[in-house]
Amino acid sequence: MSWNNTNRAAKTTWTTLMLLDQLQEVFDEAGALKMEELFFWKATQSESVRLHEAEGLAIQIDDVFRRIRGAEFEAGVTRLQAIEDMVKVLNAADKTVSDLAKIADEAYHFWRERDKG
């Protein structure tokens, strides 16, 4: 998956994070933004609190993807799996917004997204 403005997963991830007040960067800069730079991440948090925050954010992202943006799960993907995969990325300081979008692209079929190969 490439981070560009024609990729539905990238655009939807960026707009969702903007909607959830997790970033303020323009699209072109947001892909390289690390998880530790999102607003939910607090350097002073314990690992367990950060995990809890990441889980809550992943649930919110899933809700926006499906209920507002009309995404559906890719074949064989469950809601629990999609959320768990997002939590793994959200909880890794050095992962990027682009990495999160890649996980989203693997789990969700976004509205007007071309069928994959």
Side-chain angles (χ1 to χ4, degrees), residues 68-115:
I68 297 172
R69 300 303 304 260
E72 297 176 350
F73 294 113
E74 295 285 357
V77 175
T78 66
R79 182 172 189 255
L80 180 60
Q81 178 186 358
I83 290 171
E84 285 178 348
D85 290 347
M86 284 191 286
V87 168
K88 288 176 189 172
V89 174
L90 289 165
N91 202 36
D94 61 338
K95 293 289 185 179
T96 64
V97 172
S98 180
D99 294 327
L100 184 62
K102 181 179 186 294
I103 292 299
D105 196 28
E106 293 169 0
Y108 299 89
H109 183 83
F110 293 97
W111 183 68
R112 289 193 173 175
E113 183 179 35
R114 290 190 181 132
D115 289 330

Side-chain angles (χ1 to χ4, degrees), residues 51-82:
L51 179 60
H52 180 74
E53 293 286 326
E55 288 170 346
L57 182 56
I59 290 167
Q60 289 179 315
I61 292 168
D62 171 74
D63 283 344
V64 171
F65 284 176
R66 293 182 307 104
R67 296 179 183 185
I68 297 172
R69 300 303 304 260
E72 297 176 350
F73 294 113
E74 295 285 357
V77 175
T78 66
R79 182 172 189 255
L80 180 60
Q81 178 186 358

